[in-house]
């Protein structure tokens, strides 16, 4: 009987080992699948963040352009509203030349 028990033990040990290996492999597979899912989520979040940053950059660039246009308009409005007409021929010619340059700049923008 003792010999029969000894003979059965190796098969029990092998069964336990096989079961442990199967459990470990299953656990590792589950963990790997979870990691793959988390990685996919990370990639999606990364893409979303990039899109938001690009949108924000475009908004800031537009705001900057609007600020520059407002400044340009203030400068041109001041020049167009000037009441200075000149004190003599030379001064009036100089103001007219300056105003014509202003109009050319205005028409090109």
């Amino acid at each position: 009987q003792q010999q029969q028990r000894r003979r059965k033990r190796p098969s029990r040990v092998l069964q336990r080992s096989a079961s442990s290996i199967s459990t470990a492999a299953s656990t590792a597979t589950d963990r790997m699948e979870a990691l793959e899912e988390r990685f996919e989520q990370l990639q999606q979040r990364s893409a979303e963040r990039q899109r938001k940053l690009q949108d924000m950059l475009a908004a800031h660039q537009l705001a900057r352009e609007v600020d520059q246009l407002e400044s340009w308009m203030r400068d041109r409005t001041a020049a167009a509203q000037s009441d200075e007409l000149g004190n003599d021929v030379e001064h009036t010619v100089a103001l007219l030349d300056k105003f014509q340059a202003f109009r050319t700049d205005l028409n090109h923008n």
Side-chain angles (χ1 to χ4, degrees):
Q1 275 184 332
Q2 231 177 5
Q3 280 184 332
Q4 286 179 345
R5 284 185 196 167
R6 287 182 190 163
R7 287 182 189 163
K8 289 183 181 179
R9 284 184 188 165
S11 66
R12 286 183 192 161
V13 170
L14 288 175
Q15 286 174 349
R16 286 182 197 149
S17 294
S19 176
S20 295
I21 291 170
S22 177
T23 301
S26 177
T27 301
T29 300
D30 291 347
R31 288 176 59 206
M32 187 63 186
E33 288 173 0
L35 282 173
E36 288 172 350
E37 186 177 321
R38 286 175 51 202
F39 183 71
E40 185 176 319
Q41 290 172 353
L42 176 61
Q43 287 180 316
Q44 290 172 353
R45 287 180 187 147
S46 174
E48 179 67 15
R49 175 146 172 83
Q50 181 176 4
R51 186 193 61 74
K52 287 179 179 180
L53 286 169
Q54 288 173 332
D55 289 350
M56 188 55 68
L57 177 61
H60 287 306
Q61 288 173 332
L62 178 60
R64 179 185 287 171
E65 289 176 17
V66 168
D67 288 345
Q68 291 171 344
L69 181 57
E70 285 176 335
S71 176
W72 183 85
M73 290 288 294
R74 277 190 303 274
D75 293 345
R76 297 317 178 264
T77 300
Q81 292 177 343
S82 175
D83 291 332
E84 187 176 15
L85 300 175
N87 300 328
D88 55 31
V89 172
E90 290 80 16
H91 188 220
T92 303
V93 168
L95 287 173
L96 186 57
D97 289 344
K98 185 176 178 182
F99 186 73
Q100 286 174 341
F102 161 78
R103 291 286 304 226
T104 300
D105 180 50
L106 188 64
N107 290 330
H108 286 106
N109 289 307

